[in-house]
Amino acid sequence: MVPVPGSALSAYTAGVDRLMASYRSIPATSAVRLAKPTSNLFRARTKSDAGGLDTSGLTRVLSVDPESRTADVAGMCTYEDLVAATLPYGLSPLVVPQLKTITLGGAVSGLGIESASFRNGLPHESVLEMDILTGAGELLTASRSQHPELFRAFPNSYGTLGYSTRLRIELEPVAPFVALRHVRFRSLPELVAAMERIIDTGGQGGTPVDYLDGVVFSPDESYLCVGRRTATPGPVSDYTGKDVYYQSIRHDSPGSEVAREATKDDRLTIHDYFWRWDTDWFWCSRAFGAQNPAVRRWWPRRYRRSSVYWKLVALDRRFGIADRIEKRNGRPPRERVVQDVEVPVERACEFLEWFAGHVPITPIWLCPLRLRDQDGWSLYPMRIDHTYVNLGFWSSVPAGPVDGATNRMIEAKVSELDGHKSLYSDSFYTREEFDELYGGEAYKTVKKTYDPDSRLLDLYAKAVQRR
Protein backbone atom coordinates (compact mmCIF):
# COMPACT_ATOMS: atom_id res chain seq x y z
CA MET A 1 0.00 0.00 0.00
CA VAL A 2 1.10 3.56 -0.72
CA PRO A 3 0.26 5.72 2.32
CA VAL A 4 -1.48 9.02 1.77
CA PRO A 5 0.59 11.92 3.21
CA GLY A 6 -0.26 12.76 6.81
CA SER A 7 -1.08 10.69 9.83
CA ALA A 8 -4.19 9.12 8.33
CA LEU A 9 -3.63 5.73 9.94
CA SER A 10 -2.96 7.10 13.41
CA ALA A 11 -5.96 9.41 13.09
CA TYR A 12 -8.05 6.43 12.07
CA THR A 13 -6.86 4.32 15.01
CA ALA A 14 -7.66 7.14 17.41
CA GLY A 15 -10.98 7.63 15.66
CA VAL A 16 -11.93 3.99 16.15
CA ASP A 17 -11.03 4.28 19.84
CA ARG A 18 -13.30 7.33 20.18
CA LEU A 19 -16.06 5.57 18.28
CA MET A 20 -15.94 2.55 20.57
CA ALA A 21 -15.79 4.76 23.66
CA SER A 22 -18.83 6.69 22.49
CA TYR A 23 -20.71 3.44 21.93
CA ARG A 24 -19.92 2.27 25.45
CA SER A 25 -21.06 5.61 26.88
CA ILE A 26 -24.58 5.28 25.45
CA PRO A 27 -26.95 3.74 28.01
CA ALA A 28 -28.04 0.20 27.19
CA THR A 29 -31.65 1.37 27.11
CA SER A 30 -30.94 4.06 24.50
CA ALA A 31 -30.85 3.68 20.75
CA VAL A 32 -27.45 3.97 19.06
CA ARG A 33 -27.10 6.45 16.22
CA LEU A 34 -24.48 8.61 14.57
CA ALA A 35 -23.57 12.03 15.94
CA LYS A 36 -23.74 13.50 12.46
CA PRO A 37 -24.77 17.15 11.97
CA THR A 38 -25.31 16.89 8.20
CA SER A 39 -26.68 14.29 5.82
CA ASN A 40 -27.50 13.61 2.19
CA LEU A 41 -30.74 11.93 3.26
CA PHE A 42 -34.12 13.56 2.73
CA ARG A 43 -35.88 11.73 5.50
CA ALA A 44 -36.71 13.64 8.67
CA ARG A 45 -34.11 13.58 11.43
CA THR A 46 -35.23 14.00 15.02
CA LYS A 47 -33.43 16.22 17.51
CA SER A 48 -32.06 13.15 19.29
CA ASP A 49 -29.99 12.42 16.18
CA ALA A 50 -27.58 15.14 17.30
CA GLY A 51 -26.05 12.83 19.92
CA GLY A 52 -24.53 9.41 19.59
CA LEU A 53 -21.51 7.77 17.99
CA ASP A 54 -18.43 9.92 17.49
CA THR A 55 -17.17 9.38 13.92
CA SER A 56 -14.95 12.47 13.79
CA GLY A 57 -11.76 10.47 13.22
CA LEU A 58 -13.09 8.31 10.39
CA THR A 59 -12.87 10.74 7.49
CA ARG A 60 -9.58 9.98 5.74
CA VAL A 61 -8.22 7.86 2.91
CA LEU A 62 -5.86 5.47 4.70
CA SER A 63 -3.88 4.13 1.74
CA VAL A 64 -3.92 3.73 -2.02
CA ASP A 65 -2.26 0.77 -3.76
CA PRO A 66 -1.77 1.55 -7.46
CA GLU A 67 -0.46 -1.96 -8.19
CA SER A 68 -3.47 -3.87 -6.87
CA ARG A 69 -5.76 -0.95 -7.70
CA THR A 70 -7.29 -0.85 -4.25
CA ALA A 71 -7.72 1.69 -1.49
CA ASP A 72 -8.40 1.46 2.23
CA VAL A 73 -10.80 4.22 3.20
CA ALA A 74 -12.41 5.31 6.47
CA GLY A 75 -16.18 5.01 6.45
CA MET A 76 -16.98 8.71 6.77
CA CYS A 77 -14.58 9.79 4.01
CA THR A 78 -16.36 11.82 1.35
CA TYR A 79 -16.08 10.95 -2.31
CA GLU A 80 -14.61 14.40 -2.86
CA ASP A 81 -11.64 13.48 -0.66
CA LEU A 82 -11.48 9.92 -2.00
CA VAL A 83 -11.27 11.04 -5.63
CA ALA A 84 -8.67 13.66 -4.72
CA ALA A 85 -6.50 10.88 -3.25
CA THR A 86 -6.85 8.43 -6.15
CA LEU A 87 -6.67 10.69 -9.23
CA PRO A 88 -2.93 11.44 -8.78
CA TYR A 89 -2.39 7.71 -9.46
CA GLY A 90 -4.62 7.81 -12.54
CA LEU A 91 -7.24 5.80 -10.66
CA SER A 92 -10.78 6.30 -9.41
CA PRO A 93 -13.45 4.34 -7.55
CA LEU A 94 -15.44 2.13 -9.90
CA VAL A 95 -18.56 4.23 -9.28
CA VAL A 96 -18.38 7.85 -8.11
CA PRO A 97 -21.78 9.10 -6.89
CA GLN A 98 -22.64 12.52 -8.22
CA LEU A 99 -22.43 14.62 -5.04
CA LYS A 100 -19.14 15.49 -3.39
CA THR A 101 -20.14 15.05 0.24
CA ILE A 102 -21.66 11.59 -0.10
CA THR A 103 -19.49 9.37 2.07
CA LEU A 104 -18.17 5.99 1.02
CA GLY A 105 -19.82 4.34 4.00
CA GLY A 106 -23.07 6.13 3.21
CA ALA A 107 -23.04 5.02 -0.43
CA VAL A 108 -22.45 1.42 0.64
CA SER A 109 -24.99 1.24 3.48
CA GLY A 110 -27.42 3.17 1.30
CA LEU A 111 -27.26 3.05 -2.46
CA GLY A 112 -25.18 5.05 -4.90
CA ILE A 113 -25.25 5.14 -8.66
CA GLU A 114 -23.55 6.97 -11.49
CA SER A 115 -22.79 6.86 -15.17
CA ALA A 116 -20.32 3.96 -14.80
CA SER A 117 -23.04 1.78 -13.25
CA PHE A 118 -24.04 0.19 -16.55
CA ARG A 119 -20.67 -1.63 -16.48
CA ASN A 120 -19.57 -1.39 -12.80
CA GLY A 121 -22.83 -1.85 -10.93
CA LEU A 122 -23.33 -0.12 -7.57
CA PRO A 123 -20.68 1.19 -5.13
CA HIS A 124 -21.02 -1.68 -2.68
CA GLU A 125 -20.13 -4.18 -5.41
CA SER A 126 -16.55 -2.91 -5.52
CA VAL A 127 -16.06 -3.39 -1.76
CA LEU A 128 -13.62 -6.21 -0.99
CA GLU A 129 -13.97 -6.08 2.78
CA MET A 130 -15.15 -3.70 5.46
CA ASP A 131 -14.88 -3.27 9.20
CA ILE A 132 -18.34 -2.81 10.73
CA LEU A 133 -19.32 -1.69 14.21
CA THR A 134 -22.44 -3.77 14.81
CA GLY A 135 -25.38 -3.00 17.04
CA ALA A 136 -23.93 -5.50 19.52
CA GLY A 137 -20.85 -3.30 19.90
CA GLU A 138 -18.51 -5.66 18.05
CA LEU A 139 -16.05 -4.48 15.40
CA LEU A 140 -16.13 -7.18 12.73
CA THR A 141 -14.44 -7.57 9.36
CA ALA A 142 -17.02 -8.62 6.76
CA SER A 143 -16.33 -9.85 3.24
CA ARG A 144 -17.61 -12.43 0.79
CA SER A 145 -15.93 -15.09 2.96
CA GLN A 146 -16.08 -13.54 6.46
CA HIS A 147 -19.52 -12.91 7.94
CA PRO A 148 -20.92 -13.14 4.39
CA GLU A 149 -24.53 -12.78 5.52
CA LEU A 150 -23.71 -9.40 7.09
CA PHE A 151 -21.63 -8.40 4.06
CA ARG A 152 -24.55 -9.08 1.68
CA ALA A 153 -27.22 -7.52 3.89
CA PHE A 154 -25.25 -4.35 4.67
CA PRO A 155 -26.07 -2.52 1.39
CA ASN A 156 -29.38 -0.66 1.74
CA SER A 157 -29.43 -1.23 5.50
CA TYR A 158 -28.92 2.50 6.24
CA GLY A 159 -27.07 2.01 9.50
CA THR A 160 -29.61 -0.42 10.97
CA LEU A 161 -27.12 -3.31 10.96
CA GLY A 162 -24.06 -1.27 11.90
CA TYR A 163 -21.65 1.39 10.66
CA SER A 164 -18.59 0.83 8.50
CA THR A 165 -15.35 2.19 9.92
CA ARG A 166 -13.03 1.03 7.11
CA LEU A 167 -13.65 -0.22 3.61
CA ARG A 168 -11.23 -1.74 1.11
CA ILE A 169 -12.44 -1.00 -2.41
CA GLU A 170 -11.42 -1.70 -5.98
CA LEU A 171 -10.18 1.12 -8.20
CA GLU A 172 -9.99 1.43 -11.97
CA PRO A 173 -7.72 3.37 -14.36
CA VAL A 174 -9.00 6.65 -15.75
CA ALA A 175 -7.72 9.12 -18.35
CA PRO A 176 -7.21 12.87 -17.87
CA PHE A 177 -10.27 13.82 -19.93
CA VAL A 178 -13.78 12.66 -20.82
CA ALA A 179 -15.08 13.29 -24.34
CA LEU A 180 -18.85 13.70 -24.21
CA ARG A 181 -21.50 13.30 -26.85
CA HIS A 182 -25.03 14.44 -26.00
CA VAL A 183 -27.47 12.61 -28.24
CA ARG A 184 -30.98 14.01 -28.58
CA PHE A 185 -34.04 11.83 -29.15
CA ARG A 186 -37.56 12.71 -30.22
CA SER A 187 -39.21 9.73 -28.55
CA LEU A 188 -38.62 7.76 -25.38
CA PRO A 189 -38.64 4.33 -27.07
CA GLU A 190 -35.82 5.50 -29.37
CA LEU A 191 -33.79 6.71 -26.39
CA VAL A 192 -34.23 3.44 -24.46
CA ALA A 193 -33.43 1.35 -27.54
CA ALA A 194 -30.21 3.32 -28.12
CA MET A 195 -29.28 2.94 -24.45
CA GLU A 196 -29.78 -0.82 -24.63
CA ARG A 197 -27.58 -1.07 -27.74
CA ILE A 198 -24.75 0.74 -25.96
CA ILE A 199 -25.04 -1.51 -22.91
CA ASP A 200 -25.20 -4.71 -24.95
CA THR A 201 -22.21 -3.81 -27.14
CA GLY A 202 -20.20 -1.69 -24.71
CA GLY A 203 -19.86 1.02 -27.33
CA GLN A 204 -21.42 3.30 -29.88
CA GLY A 205 -20.50 3.34 -33.55
CA GLY A 206 -17.53 1.08 -32.89
CA THR A 207 -16.16 3.33 -30.12
CA PRO A 208 -16.06 2.07 -26.51
CA VAL A 209 -18.34 3.88 -24.04
CA ASP A 210 -17.12 4.40 -20.49
CA TYR A 211 -19.92 6.51 -19.02
CA LEU A 212 -23.63 6.67 -19.77
CA ASP A 213 -26.51 8.64 -18.29
CA GLY A 214 -29.22 10.93 -19.62
CA VAL A 215 -31.89 13.55 -19.06
CA VAL A 216 -35.57 13.60 -20.02
CA PHE A 217 -37.00 17.09 -20.43
CA SER A 218 -40.22 15.88 -22.04
CA PRO A 219 -41.41 12.80 -23.97
CA ASP A 220 -40.25 14.44 -27.22
CA GLU A 221 -36.97 15.87 -25.88
CA SER A 222 -34.59 13.51 -24.16
CA TYR A 223 -30.82 12.96 -24.22
CA LEU A 224 -28.22 10.31 -23.66
CA CYS A 225 -24.90 11.65 -22.39
CA VAL A 226 -22.25 9.29 -23.73
CA GLY A 227 -18.76 9.58 -22.22
CA ARG A 228 -15.43 8.23 -23.43
CA ARG A 229 -12.12 8.50 -21.58
CA THR A 230 -9.31 10.12 -23.52
CA ALA A 231 -5.75 11.26 -22.93
CA THR A 232 -5.80 13.59 -25.93
CA PRO A 233 -5.27 17.18 -24.73
CA GLY A 234 -7.53 19.95 -25.90
CA PRO A 235 -9.94 22.64 -24.74
CA VAL A 236 -12.38 21.72 -21.97
CA SER A 237 -15.59 23.24 -20.64
CA ASP A 238 -16.02 24.67 -17.14
CA TYR A 239 -19.46 24.47 -15.53
CA THR A 240 -18.44 25.93 -12.20
CA GLY A 241 -18.79 29.45 -13.59
CA LYS A 242 -21.64 31.13 -15.41
CA ASP A 243 -22.57 28.07 -17.51
CA VAL A 244 -24.81 25.32 -16.12
CA TYR A 245 -24.07 21.73 -17.11
CA TYR A 246 -27.58 20.40 -17.62
CA GLN A 247 -28.49 23.39 -19.77
CA SER A 248 -25.46 22.68 -21.96
CA ILE A 249 -26.86 19.25 -22.83
CA ARG A 250 -29.84 20.67 -24.72
CA HIS A 251 -29.67 21.41 -28.43
CA ASP A 252 -31.94 21.53 -31.43
CA SER A 253 -32.43 18.69 -33.86
CA PRO A 254 -31.56 19.54 -37.47
CA GLY A 255 -35.23 19.26 -38.46
CA SER A 256 -38.35 17.36 -37.52
CA GLU A 257 -38.24 15.15 -40.59
CA VAL A 258 -34.49 15.11 -41.19
CA ALA A 259 -33.19 12.96 -38.36
CA ARG A 260 -34.38 11.21 -35.26
CA GLU A 261 -31.08 11.90 -33.46
CA ALA A 262 -28.87 14.94 -33.19
CA THR A 263 -25.60 15.23 -31.30
CA LYS A 264 -23.52 17.82 -29.49
CA ASP A 265 -19.95 17.24 -28.35
CA ASP A 266 -18.21 18.49 -25.21
CA ARG A 267 -15.06 17.76 -23.17
CA LEU A 268 -14.32 17.88 -19.47
CA THR A 269 -11.38 17.01 -17.27
CA ILE A 270 -11.98 13.75 -15.46
CA HIS A 271 -12.20 15.69 -12.18
CA ASP A 272 -14.83 18.06 -13.53
CA TYR A 273 -16.69 15.19 -15.15
CA PHE A 274 -17.08 13.43 -11.80
CA TRP A 275 -18.50 16.60 -10.22
CA ARG A 276 -20.43 17.95 -13.21
CA TRP A 277 -23.74 17.50 -11.38
CA ASP A 278 -22.59 18.77 -7.98
CA THR A 279 -22.16 22.46 -8.85
CA ASP A 280 -25.88 22.93 -9.39
CA TRP A 281 -27.11 19.85 -7.53
CA PHE A 282 -28.20 18.57 -10.93
CA TRP A 283 -30.75 21.36 -11.66
CA CYS A 284 -32.04 21.92 -8.12
CA SER A 285 -29.96 25.08 -7.60
CA ARG A 286 -32.55 26.93 -9.69
CA ALA A 287 -34.86 26.84 -6.67
CA PHE A 288 -32.42 29.14 -4.87
CA GLY A 289 -31.90 31.48 -7.82
CA ALA A 290 -28.35 30.26 -8.38
CA GLN A 291 -28.96 29.80 -12.12
CA ASN A 292 -30.21 33.36 -12.56
CA PRO A 293 -27.28 35.14 -14.27
CA ALA A 294 -27.69 38.21 -12.07
CA VAL A 295 -27.58 36.09 -8.90
CA ARG A 296 -24.95 33.66 -10.17
CA ARG A 297 -22.55 36.49 -10.84
CA TRP A 298 -22.41 37.26 -7.11
CA TRP A 299 -22.74 33.71 -5.78
CA PRO A 300 -19.19 32.64 -4.83
CA ARG A 301 -17.99 29.52 -6.67
CA ARG A 302 -17.04 27.79 -3.44
CA TYR A 303 -20.70 27.97 -2.40
CA ARG A 304 -22.00 26.52 -5.67
CA ARG A 305 -22.13 22.96 -4.44
CA SER A 306 -24.69 20.46 -3.27
CA SER A 307 -23.72 20.65 0.41
CA VAL A 308 -24.62 24.35 0.52
CA TYR A 309 -27.97 23.82 -1.20
CA TRP A 310 -28.72 20.96 1.16
CA LYS A 311 -28.19 23.29 4.14
CA LEU A 312 -30.64 25.75 2.59
CA VAL A 313 -33.18 22.96 2.23
CA ALA A 314 -32.62 21.97 5.87
CA LEU A 315 -33.30 25.57 6.95
CA ASP A 316 -36.49 25.63 4.90
CA ARG A 317 -37.65 22.38 6.48
CA ARG A 318 -36.81 23.61 9.96
CA PHE A 319 -38.69 26.89 9.66
CA GLY A 320 -41.30 26.01 7.02
CA ILE A 321 -40.25 28.92 4.84
CA ALA A 322 -41.63 27.61 1.54
CA ASP A 323 -44.99 26.66 3.06
CA ARG A 324 -45.29 30.10 4.65
CA ILE A 325 -44.68 31.72 1.29
CA GLU A 326 -47.28 29.48 -0.37
CA LYS A 327 -49.81 30.30 2.36
CA ARG A 328 -49.16 34.04 2.07
CA ASN A 329 -49.85 33.80 -1.66
CA GLY A 330 -53.09 31.89 -1.10
CA ARG A 331 -51.73 28.58 -2.32
CA PRO A 332 -51.80 25.19 -0.57
CA PRO A 333 -48.58 23.72 0.89
CA ARG A 334 -46.44 21.57 -1.35
CA GLU A 335 -45.50 17.92 -1.13
CA ARG A 336 -41.82 17.14 -1.51
CA VAL A 337 -41.20 14.55 -4.24
CA VAL A 338 -37.49 13.74 -4.00
CA GLN A 339 -36.95 10.19 -5.20
CA ASP A 340 -34.74 7.79 -7.14
CA VAL A 341 -36.37 4.64 -8.47
CA GLU A 342 -35.11 1.65 -10.45
CA VAL A 343 -37.28 -0.13 -13.00
CA PRO A 344 -36.37 -2.89 -15.46
CA VAL A 345 -35.25 -1.37 -18.74
CA GLU A 346 -38.20 -2.87 -20.63
CA ARG A 347 -40.58 -0.94 -18.31
CA ALA A 348 -38.71 2.38 -18.42
CA CYS A 349 -40.77 3.92 -21.23
CA GLU A 350 -43.99 2.91 -19.53
CA PHE A 351 -42.91 4.58 -16.30
CA LEU A 352 -41.71 7.77 -18.01
CA GLU A 353 -44.88 8.12 -20.06
CA TRP A 354 -47.00 7.51 -16.96
CA PHE A 355 -44.94 9.99 -14.97
CA ALA A 356 -45.31 12.69 -17.65
CA GLY A 357 -49.07 12.33 -17.45
CA HIS A 358 -49.40 12.26 -13.66
CA VAL A 359 -46.52 14.15 -11.99
CA PRO A 360 -45.70 17.75 -13.02
CA ILE A 361 -41.92 17.49 -12.52
CA THR A 362 -39.15 17.92 -15.09
CA PRO A 363 -36.37 17.23 -15.86
CA ILE A 364 -35.81 13.58 -14.94
CA TRP A 365 -32.35 12.06 -14.65
CA LEU A 366 -31.84 8.54 -15.95
CA CYS A 367 -28.93 6.19 -15.40
CA PRO A 368 -28.72 2.53 -16.49
CA LEU A 369 -27.20 -0.12 -14.25
CA ARG A 370 -26.43 -3.83 -14.19
CA LEU A 371 -25.24 -5.72 -11.13
CA ARG A 372 -21.65 -7.01 -11.28
CA ASP A 373 -21.99 -9.57 -8.50
CA GLN A 374 -23.73 -12.76 -9.56
CA ASP A 375 -24.96 -13.63 -6.05
CA GLY A 376 -27.14 -10.55 -5.56
CA TRP A 377 -27.81 -8.40 -2.49
CA SER A 378 -30.50 -9.42 -0.04
CA LEU A 379 -31.92 -6.00 0.93
CA TYR A 380 -32.22 -4.68 -2.63
CA PRO A 381 -32.99 -7.72 -4.80
CA MET A 382 -32.46 -7.19 -8.52
CA ARG A 383 -32.29 -9.70 -11.33
CA ILE A 384 -28.80 -10.80 -12.31
CA ASP A 385 -27.69 -10.10 -15.90
CA HIS A 386 -30.56 -7.69 -16.38
CA THR A 387 -30.49 -3.96 -17.11
CA TYR A 388 -32.36 -1.53 -14.86
CA VAL A 389 -32.80 2.20 -15.27
CA ASN A 390 -32.50 4.57 -12.34
CA LEU A 391 -34.87 7.52 -12.68
CA GLY A 392 -34.32 10.53 -10.42
CA PHE A 393 -36.76 13.39 -9.89
CA TRP A 394 -36.34 16.01 -7.22
CA SER A 395 -38.90 18.76 -6.73
CA SER A 396 -42.32 19.36 -5.17
CA VAL A 397 -45.96 19.34 -6.22
CA PRO A 398 -49.13 20.84 -4.68
CA ALA A 399 -50.07 18.78 -1.65
CA GLY A 400 -53.10 16.54 -2.02
CA PRO A 401 -55.80 15.59 0.48
CA VAL A 402 -53.77 12.57 1.69
CA ASP A 403 -50.33 12.83 3.26
CA GLY A 404 -47.77 11.96 0.58
CA ALA A 405 -50.39 11.41 -2.11
CA THR A 406 -48.01 11.78 -5.05
CA ASN A 407 -45.24 9.75 -3.41
CA ARG A 408 -47.70 6.96 -2.64
CA MET A 409 -48.88 6.96 -6.25
CA ILE A 410 -45.28 6.70 -7.47
CA GLU A 411 -44.50 3.87 -5.06
CA ALA A 412 -47.49 1.91 -6.33
CA LYS A 413 -46.49 2.42 -9.96
CA VAL A 414 -42.88 1.40 -9.36
CA SER A 415 -43.99 -1.79 -7.61
CA GLU A 416 -46.43 -2.52 -10.44
CA LEU A 417 -43.47 -2.35 -12.85
CA ASP A 418 -41.32 -4.74 -10.75
CA GLY A 419 -39.06 -1.93 -9.58
CA HIS A 420 -37.71 -0.50 -6.33
CA LYS A 421 -37.06 2.92 -4.92
CA SER A 422 -34.15 4.13 -2.84
CA LEU A 423 -34.86 4.77 0.84
CA TYR A 424 -33.01 8.05 1.31
CA SER A 425 -36.25 10.04 1.17
CA ASP A 426 -39.88 9.80 2.29
CA SER A 427 -41.50 6.35 2.04
CA PHE A 428 -45.08 5.28 2.73
CA TYR A 429 -45.13 1.49 2.38
CA THR A 430 -47.06 -0.80 4.68
CA ARG A 431 -44.93 -3.23 6.66
CA GLU A 432 -46.00 -6.08 4.39
CA GLU A 433 -45.12 -4.18 1.20
CA PHE A 434 -41.80 -3.11 2.65
CA ASP A 435 -40.77 -6.60 3.74
CA GLU A 436 -41.55 -7.98 0.30
CA LEU A 437 -39.37 -5.36 -1.38
CA TYR A 438 -36.46 -4.93 1.05
CA GLY A 439 -35.28 -8.25 2.39
CA GLY A 440 -38.03 -9.38 4.74
CA GLU A 441 -36.96 -12.51 6.62
CA ALA A 442 -33.36 -12.30 5.39
CA TYR A 443 -33.04 -8.87 7.00
CA LYS A 444 -34.68 -10.01 10.23
CA THR A 445 -32.29 -12.95 10.53
CA VAL A 446 -29.18 -10.81 10.10
CA LYS A 447 -30.61 -8.12 12.38
CA LYS A 448 -31.18 -10.64 15.16
CA THR A 449 -27.67 -12.05 14.78
CA TYR A 450 -25.70 -8.77 14.73
CA ASP A 451 -28.02 -6.50 16.72
CA PRO A 452 -29.73 -8.92 19.14
CA ASP A 453 -30.78 -6.19 21.59
CA SER A 454 -32.08 -3.83 18.86
CA ARG A 455 -29.69 -1.04 19.78
CA LEU A 456 -30.02 0.25 16.22
CA LEU A 457 -33.29 1.25 14.63
CA ASP A 458 -35.20 -1.25 12.52
CA LEU A 459 -35.02 -0.50 8.78
CA TYR A 460 -38.78 -0.08 8.39
CA ALA A 461 -38.90 2.21 11.43
CA LYS A 462 -36.06 4.30 10.06
CA ALA A 463 -37.16 4.48 6.43
CA VAL A 464 -40.93 4.74 6.80
CA GLN A 465 -42.19 5.35 10.32
CA ARG A 466 -39.90 8.27 11.23
CA ARG A 467 -41.65 10.85 9.10
Side-chain angles (χ1 to χ4, degrees):
M1 286 281 185
V2 178
V4 172
S7 302
L9 187 57
S10 60
Y12 170 75
T13 301
V16 170
D17 289 342
R18 286 198 301 275
L19 175 73
M20 300 301 291
S22 66
Y23 176 92
R24 291 189 292 269
S25 71
I26 299 173
T29 55
S30 299
V32 175
R33 51 176 58 87
L34 293 182
K36 187 179 180 184
T38 62
S39 171
N40 281 291
L41 299 180
F42 276 82
R43 287 187 260 102
R45 292 163 59 89
T46 63
K47 290 183 179 180
S48 59
D49 287 341
L53 298 176
D54 181 354
T55 61
S56 59
L58 307 178
T59 62
R60 306 278 291 275
V61 176
L62 307 180
S63 58
V64 177
D65 188 337
E67 293 186 4
S68 66
R69 296 177 182 169
T70 60
D72 272 29
V73 187
M76 297 295 289
C77 179
T78 66
Y79 273 91
E80 181 176 25
D81 291 340
L82 176 53
V83 167
T86 62
L87 280 186
Y89 299 99
L91 299 169
S92 81
L94 270 62
V95 177
V96 179
Q98 312 89 297
L99 306 181
K100 293 178 177 178
T101 55
I102 292 175
T103 63
L104 177 59
V108 171
S109 66
L111 288 177
I113 189 171
E114 230 290 306
S115 57
S117 289
F118 77 99
R119 57 184 178 82
N120 286 340
L122 300 170
H124 58 265
E125 297 191 275
S126 59
V127 175
L128 300 174
E129 66 176 33
M130 51 186 160
D131 294 340
I132 299 172
L133 172 63
T134 69
E138 299 178 293
L139 192 62
L140 303 176
T141 299
S143 67
R144 287 170 174 81
S145 59
Q146 296 176 274
H147 302 287
E149 67 284 1
L150 176 61
F151 183 80
R152 293 213 165 270
F154 195 76
N156 208 47
S157 64
Y158 284 92
T160 65
L161 296 177
Y163 298 102
S164 57
T165 64
R166 178 195 63 89
L167 304 97
R168 179 168 295 168
I169 62 170
E170 298 175 75
L171 305 173
E172 69 174 5
V174 292
F177 306 100
V178 175
L180 281 167
R181 175 155 290 180
H182 305 309
V183 187
R184 177 174 175 167
F185 296 88
R186 294 183 174 281
S187 79
L188 295 172
E190 291 170 358
L191 174 136
V192 172
M195 181 172 62
E196 288 192 274
R197 285 194 299 271
I198 291 172
I199 295 168
D200 290 342
T201 64
Q204 183 186 48
T207 301
V209 171
D210 299 304
Y211 304 108
L212 181 65
D213 64 354
V215 180
V216 176
F217 290 93
S218 68
D220 59 1
E221 185 191 0
S222 58
Y223 299 85
L224 286 181
C225 304
V226 182
R228 178 178 57 85
R229 299 174 184 142
T230 177
T232 304
V236 293
S237 298
D238 178 4
Y239 295 106
T240 64
K242 66 177 183 178
D243 296 325
V244 179
Y245 175 69
Y246 86 96
Q247 293 176 351
S248 75
I249 292 170
R250 308 184 78 173
H251 57 273
D252 293 330
S253 295
S256 59
E257 302 300 330
V258 176
R260 290 185 294 178
E261 298 181 9
T263 63
K264 178 182 179 181
D265 292 336
D266 199 358
R267 282 169 54 90
L268 295 170
T269 66
I270 184 65
H271 174 275
D272 287 353
Y273 178 78
F274 283 144
W275 307 129
R276 67 202 182 283
W277 292 118
D278 187 85
T279 301
D280 285 285
W281 207 8
F282 286 84
W283 33 80
C284 297
S285 69
R286 62 188 177 184
F288 310 105
Q291 295 178 31
N292 182 319
V295 175
R296 198 174 186 86
R297 177 182 178 186
W298 299 105
W299 195 302
R301 289 193 183 206
R302 67 182 181 276
Y303 295 139
R304 294 181 203 154
R305 52 184 289 143
S306 62
S307 56
V308 170
Y309 307 132
W310 196 98
K311 290 176 182 177
L312 295 176
V313 168
L315 286 172
D316 171 61
R317 289 169 56 186
R318 180 178 179 185
F319 296 107
I321 298 170
D323 284 347
R324 292 182 184 182
I325 293 173
E326 294 298 298
K327 184 176 181 180
R328 182 175 298 175
N329 290 318
R331 296 189 294 263
R334 298 184 67 83
E335 175 187 351
R336 183 180 62 200
V337 181
V338 178
Q339 304 287 354
D340 278 77
V341 304
E342 275 88 34
V343 298
V345 66
E346 66 273 15
R347 313 302 293 272
C349 283
E350 184 178 351
F351 178 83
L352 287 166
E353 290 166 354
W354 172 87
F355 192 91
H358 291 82
V359 184
I361 292 176
T362 57
I364 300 169
W365 183 62
L366 60 85
C367 185
L369 69 144
R370 290 174 69 96
L371 294 181
R372 292 174 68 215
D373 192 292
Q374 296 299 299
D375 292 326
W377 305 91
S378 54
L379 269 61
Y380 208 76
M382 301 172 75
R383 281 183 278 166
I384 307 301
D385 295 325
H386 196 86
T387 300
Y388 289 76
V389 181
N390 174 277
L391 302 155
F393 34 92
W394 316 292
S395 189
S396 65
V397 300
V402 177
D403 180 34
T406 298
N407 283 282
R408 293 173 189 270
M409 182 172 59
I410 292 169
E411 286 181 356
K413 189 64 179 180
V414 171
S415 294
E416 176 189 326
L417 300 179
D418 299 321
H420 290 77
K421 61 175 262 185
S422 297
L423 298 176
Y424 69 84
S425 190
D426 297 321
S427 297
F428 298 85
Y429 297 107
T430 66
R431 168 67 82 168
E432 293 72 22
E433 292 169 334
F434 189 87
D435 285 349
E436 183 177 349
L437 291 167
Y438 299 102
E441 289 303 318
Y443 172 74
K444 293 175 184 177
T445 299
V446 178
K447 178 75 168 172
K448 185 176 181 179
T449 301
Y450 293 97
D451 185 21
D453 298 322
S454 298
R455 298 295 307 278
L456 305 169
L457 278 174
D458 171 76
L459 183 58
Y460 182 74
K462 190 168 189 177
V464 181
Q465 293 178 326
R466 296 178 71 209
R467 289 187 284 101

